[in-house]
Amino acid sequence: MKKSAWSLGAMMLLVLIMMTTVGVASSNNYEPVPKASNQETAYINGLELRDGKVYLTVDPIKWYEGEEANQIFREREQDPEMTEAPDGYYIVNDTEEQIELAVADDAEVLLQLYDHTGRYEDAQISWNQMVSLNKFTDIYHKDDIVDMKWFPFHITVEDGVVVKIIQQYVP
């Protein structure tokens, strides 16, 4: 997973904000994204506008939560000191891929955490905030406070086109 270079102060402030919202998130109706047969979980490594159409470059991953995450964690890590996945989730990304997918103009986009105002203190978790594809494009390219490349996304594909994008909350 690639991350932009940040100043130490900015990074520490974001970590503090995220730490203060984790308690809120855990008691604020977090619901795992339901799995669907036409849904993949991936990092969005690129978002490009070409000929009036949005294209994503994604790296598919396996996302596990709860007991399923613990089981995979134990199988893969085999650390006698740790028997559960930290923070209740586990990501497997054995091969890095770059797959390009077209996005439907009317794709549904749901975000959990993003930079609303350009102020660190306003980067708060708000579950399943619906934004337009145009707004998501702007948010994706604005990475000074919250970088969308840090989050997995659940991407629903129909007939080879992305129709839904859901940001996965990561504690």
Side-chain angles (χ1 to χ4, degrees):
M1 173 169 48
K2 299 173 187 151
K3 298 180 182 166
S4 300
W6 282 19
S7 71
L8 182 57
M11 180 69 85
M12 289 174 51
L13 183 55
L14 181 58
V15 169
L16 178 62
I17 289 168
M18 293 179 86
M19 285 174 48
T20 60
T21 58
V22 168
V24 173
S26 62
S27 63
N28 196 14
N29 301 324
Y30 169 76
E31 295 285 331
V33 174
K35 293 180 181 182
S37 61
N38 60 342
Q39 185 182 77
E40 291 284 334
T41 304
Y43 286 109
I44 299 175
N45 292 333
L47 185 151
E48 182 180 342
L49 186 62
R50 267 193 335 255
D51 301 322
K53 193 111 182 102
V54 174
Y55 294 88
L56 302 178
T57 302
V58 302
D59 178 18
I61 64 169
K62 299 293 183 194
W63 170 265
Y64 301 99
E65 290 185 73
E67 189 49 45
E68 185 179 33
N70 293 336
Q71 178 183 351
I72 299 295
F73 178 83
R74 285 188 291 268
E75 289 172 8
R76 294 178 68 95
E77 302 300 327
Q78 299 182 5
D79 181 346
E81 300 294 317
M82 293 183 68
T83 60
E84 294 187 349
D87 295 319
Y89 71 92
Y90 192 70
I91 296 171
V92 175
N93 190 10
D94 289 333
T95 59
E96 289 192 31
E97 300 178 58
Q98 299 298 311
I99 299 170
E100 185 175 86
L101 297 170
V103 181
D105 294 336
D106 61 349
E108 185 177 0
V109 181
L110 301 170
L111 301 179
Q112 318 313 324
L113 175 66
Y114 69 94
D115 176 5
H116 292 263
T117 65
R119 297 171 16 161
Y120 291 102
E121 60 270 17
D122 292 335
Q124 299 286 328
I125 296 167
S126 183
W127 301 116
N128 296 317
Q129 303 165 80
M130 187 176 291
V131 299
S132 69
L133 182 58
N134 285 338
K135 173 111 175 144
F136 178 64
T137 299
D138 292 341
I139 292 167
Y140 182 85
H141 288 109
K142 186 178 176 185
D143 62 4
D144 53 335
I145 293 179
V146 178
D147 189 341
M148 289 290 115
K149 291 179 244 14
W150 289 6
F151 295 90
F153 287 84
H154 302 280
I155 300 170
T156 303
V157 178
E158 292 179 359
D159 298 322
V161 176
V162 175
V163 296
K164 188 172 190 177
I165 302 168
I166 304 172
Q167 179 189 30
Q168 173 60 55
Y169 170 73
V170 179

